[in-house]
Amino acid sequence: MEDGVGESLDFVREKVRDDIASDRFGGRVQTRFPPEPNGYLHIGHAKSIYLNFGIADEFEGTCPLRFDDTNPETEDTAFVDAIIEDIEWLGVEPHGEPRFASDYFGQLYDWAEALIRKGLAYVDDQDAETISEQRGGFGQPGIESPYRNRSVEENLNLFRGMRDGRFYDGSKVLRAKIDMQADNMWLRDPVMYRIRRIPHHRTGSEWIIYPTYDWAHGQSDAIEGTTHSICTLEFADHRPLYDWFLSHLDLPTDKPEQTEFARLNLTHTVMSKRVLRSLVEHGQVSGWDDPQMPTVRGMRRRGYPPAAIRAFVDRVGVAKTNSTVEIELLESFVRTELNETALRRMAVLKPLKVVLTNWPEGEVEWMDVVNNPQDPESGTREVPFTGELWIEQDDFRLDPPPKYYRLTPGREVRLRNAYFVTATDVITDPAGEVVQVNCTYDPATRGGTAPDGRKVKSTMHWVSAAHAGAAQVNLYERLFADSHPGIDGADPLASLNPNAREVCEARLEPALDDVRPGEVVQFERLGYFAADLDDPGVFHRTVGLRDEWANIQKRKQAG
């Protein structure tokens, strides 16, 4: 161990360790998590959260939460509250109270005037479309604005006029004067301020000019004393601009340094806010917290444990190049965590009635059943067993296919923790569908073993019909059928799976009446299911029992 960190460090942590060793920043470590409050956090943000807060913890540093709230058109206090709640649920604690870029609007404005006085910023009267066209493109020259060489005095007067409301929205912007021929497009005189008469969620109508992200971000880092500004790879091209702004200002602290890492991409998943918003607005999901969504709120409702998300992020690691991780790996961490912690219960999702014709009428037996074989301290529970039961429709076949070992006419099977039963005959509806299976049970097999040593090939779960509760159970498949939705410029919504959700009217054993909102239990033989956070009559399948990730690894090794 070194500095409380394992010997095997990712490149970001190696850099932090080396900076401490060289006494850079006076040995201080301060990261930050800077979300924009214009939406909800998703699992990609979770990776950034655990990286930034993790580094601060591991190197005895600090990591505040700062909202980059520079665009009042899309931001809202509701998003602020949701992000704070999601971060708390993920199990990290920001340093101090939340901070906001809007806290620094005054200082940012003063620094903008300082750049104007140095001849490094100017007011441009051109519209956004013209400015974009004049920037040119890679290998194409840029065109300087006809307003680029205004005097310092004129620029100061115009910029103050923008602040004071003398001009219409969109009629003027403040631009940095850098290099219109730079290979890096972000250095071609980027916009720093624009006029927008839109009330801000914190400052109200105090300001009608708002800083762009690139102008506010690095300077907010400097104001707060950030040492290591850790961003995802899409901001790598912004780094020269980040450095340029900071190098031309008198900073209150050491100049922070930006480092980029690969963002998290998952198969069958889309992280784009635009696409996710479309799903919500067009009713293709029930909301941002729909269990099918990759948002933190969606994962919480689906029953993903924070510990599993963190373990997954640690396993994926921090890389310098983008890649896509199989979603089955995430699910394997969820499954592993829940296997240790989730109580076992019995539920029948697609009920079929079973009647034990030789069961004593009206008799109820209570079976002592283990709550979690992985956790002896979880104890046992009493489960009622009667002569009328529910089993899964798939657990009976009138005409069984080959290698079908569950219940069929004349075959004996085990009912879990109860008895051996043998199907004798069936009752069908007018359409010929089986609606009831009649069986006999062997009283000598209580507990699931036969005194004569005979074996059966199948064990099935069940629920006493007289004691069963009812619930809606939602089963989920991949929301996007393609493993890489939107690849090569395709519309990701074209691969939306119309059958991603199946609703079952299930029957539950009585112990499930006591499940807490959000609690995850294992429905034996079926998977892990989370009780809905708001509706006690709804469960969501968190993940199945089959380890699909292990199967993927086997196929890769075989291939």
Side-chain angles (χ1 to χ4, degrees):
M1 301 294 289
E2 182 176 342
D3 295 323
V5 184
E7 292 181 4
S8 178
L9 302 179
D10 58 66
F11 78 96
V12 179
R13 287 175 168 88
E14 286 179 350
K15 177 172 179 22
V16 174
R17 180 195 59 190
D18 293 344
D19 287 343
I20 293 173
S22 66
D23 202 37
R24 188 178 184 188
F25 306 114
R28 285 193 315 112
V29 173
Q30 181 171 318
T31 57
R32 80 288 172 271
F33 178 60
E36 183 180 357
N38 66 347
Y40 296 93
L41 300 182
H42 55 59
I43 191 168
H45 294 113
K47 177 178 179 179
S48 180
I49 287 169
Y50 286 131
L51 177 60
N52 279 286
F53 286 98
I55 286 175
D57 288 342
E58 293 157 20
F59 293 98
E60 299 182 354
T62 58
C63 181
L65 167 64
R66 180 184 76 239
F67 291 94
D68 276 330
D69 54 342
T70 60
N71 185 0
E73 189 172 1
T74 61
E75 295 163 354
D76 194 279
T77 300
F79 294 131
V80 172
D81 295 340
I83 289 170
I84 292 173
E85 181 180 315
D86 287 349
I87 289 175
E88 180 181 359
W89 179 77
L90 286 170
V92 298
E93 184 175 355
H95 180 79
E97 292 297 314
R99 306 175 185 184
F100 298 83
S102 55
D103 293 336
Y104 315 133
F105 279 177
Q107 178 64 77
L108 292 171
Y109 177 86
D110 291 343
W111 273 341
E113 283 205 355
L115 290 184
I116 292 174
R117 291 190 184 93
K118 293 180 179 180
L120 298 175
Y122 63 97
V123 174
D124 195 339
D125 295 0
Q126 300 178 112
D127 60 34
E129 182 178 355
T130 301
I131 290 173
S132 179
E133 290 175 353
Q134 289 181 349
R135 279 210 177 98
F138 184 74
Q140 299 176 345
I143 300 173
E144 292 186 355
S145 166
Y147 305 100
R148 194 172 193 265
N149 295 313
R150 278 172 161 160
S151 68
V152 168
E153 291 74 17
E154 185 178 6
N155 280 317
L156 282 174
N157 180 59
L158 290 172
F159 186 47
R160 290 167 181 168
M162 289 170 59
R163 176 198 62 190
D164 295 339
R166 299 207 308 263
F167 308 113
Y168 294 115
D169 288 17
S171 61
K172 297 185 188 305
V173 295
L174 182 70
R175 299 176 66 182
K177 185 189 290 188
I178 306 179
D179 182 1
M180 287 299 294
Q181 309 310 318
D183 291 336
N184 186 315
M185 300 301 296
W186 294 101
L187 296 178
R188 293 191 178 186
D189 290 11
V191 173
M192 297 169 59
Y193 276 93
R194 59 272 200 251
I195 307 171
R196 287 186 177 175
R197 286 176 171 80
I198 300 174
H200 188 275
H201 71 102
R202 294 188 72 247
T203 62
S205 300
E206 179 181 356
W207 293 89
I208 63 168
I209 58 171
Y210 292 98
T212 59
Y213 172 87
D214 281 310
W215 171 239
H217 182 71
Q219 284 54 254
S220 297
D221 283 346
I223 291 169
E224 293 176 349
T226 300
T227 57
H228 300 83
S229 180
I230 304 170
C231 306
T232 45
L233 281 178
E234 62 263 34
F235 293 99
D237 289 342
H238 296 240
R239 184 173 3 119
L241 178 57
Y242 181 96
D243 292 337
W244 187 91
F245 279 137
L246 293 173
S247 66
H248 290 90
L249 298 172
D250 295 326
L251 302 177
T253 62
D254 294 326
K255 176 184 171 183
E257 182 174 13
Q258 179 174 305
T259 301
E260 304 87 22
F261 69 98
R263 65 184 298 172
L264 176 61
N265 297 302
L266 286 173
T267 56
H268 299 283
T269 307
V270 172
M271 305 289 190
S272 163
K273 284 183 180 178
R274 177 187 62 81
V275 175
L276 297 179
R277 185 177 294 110
S278 175
L279 294 176
V280 173
E281 291 176 350
H282 290 88
Q284 291 158 318
V285 294
S286 60
W288 288 94
D289 62 349
D290 188 296
Q292 300 173 100
M293 293 282 273
T295 56
V296 172
R297 302 177 86 75
M299 292 187 295
R300 181 182 183 184
R301 186 171 291 276
R302 188 159 180 165
Y304 280 24
I309 298 172
R310 184 160 202 163
F312 164 72
V313 167
D314 289 344
R315 166 67 180 275
V316 170
V318 182
K320 295 183 179 181
T321 55
N322 284 324
S323 61
T324 301
V325 180
E326 287 94 342
I327 193 170
E328 290 84 359
L329 177 59
L330 169 60
E331 292 171 340
S332 74
F333 278 95
V334 172
R335 187 179 296 108
T336 298
E337 175 70 18
L338 293 176
N339 185 51
E340 299 294 326
T341 60
L343 298 176
R344 275 50 168 172
R345 297 290 185 259
M346 289 194 289
V348 174
L349 304 189
K350 299 176 181 179
L352 173 64
K353 177 70 70 69
V354 166
V355 175
L356 304 182
T357 56
N358 62 332
W359 183 263
E361 185 176 354
E363 182 170 330
V364 179
E365 287 192 20
W366 293 86
M367 306 299 183
D368 192 47
V369 181
V370 171
N371 282 322
N372 184 344
Q374 305 298 319
D375 178 15
E377 294 185 1
S378 66
T380 62
R381 69 191 187 281
E382 294 291 309
V383 180
F385 186 89
T386 61
E388 292 192 3
L389 310 167
W390 295 113
I391 66 168
E392 294 288 348
Q393 293 176 12
D394 288 344
D395 282 342
F396 176 81
R397 285 289 182 270
L398 194 58
D399 298 307
K403 297 183 179 180
Y404 182 87
Y405 299 117
R406 284 169 278 175
L407 197 60
T408 65
R411 177 176 293 163
E412 188 174 51
V413 300
R414 177 189 294 106
L415 295 183
R416 194 173 187 87
N417 303 302
Y419 293 97
F420 286 11
V421 299
T422 302
T424 57
D425 59 279
V426 301
I427 296 175
T428 60
D429 64 14
E433 297 293 326
V434 176
V435 294
Q436 179 177 310
V437 179
N438 294 329
C439 297
T440 59
Y441 85 106
D442 182 350
T445 59
R446 192 180 195 280
T449 59
D452 60 5
R454 72 183 187 274
K455 304 293 183 183
V456 294
K457 290 187 175 181
S458 181
T459 299
M460 298 164 17
H461 65 280
W462 50 272
V463 173
S464 167
H467 300 83
Q472 173 183 308
V473 174
N474 298 319
L475 305 178
Y476 300 108
E477 300 297 336
R478 305 292 181 217
L479 184 58
F480 293 92
D482 292 348
S483 58
H484 297 81
I487 193 171
D488 297 329
D491 180 6
L493 294 175
S495 72
L496 198 65
N497 179 5
N499 301 312
R501 176 174 173 259
E502 179 183 1
V503 178
C504 301
E505 295 301 323
R507 300 294 181 267
L508 316 178
E509 69 162 274
L512 284 165
D513 291 342
D514 299 326
V515 172
R516 303 181 306 276
E519 182 180 357
V520 181
V521 296
Q522 184 192 106
F523 289 175
E524 297 198 33
R525 298 178 64 222
L526 300 175
Y528 295 95
F529 292 77
D532 189 74
L533 294 170
D534 301 317
D535 188 341
V538 174
F539 284 82
H540 307 283
R541 182 166 65 187
T542 307
V543 68
L545 294 178
R546 182 180 302 169
D547 190 350
E548 296 176 358
W549 171 249
N551 293 333
I552 288 175
Q553 297 307 102
K554 289 178 182 178
R555 289 196 295 270
K556 287 182 177 179
Q557 292 172 1

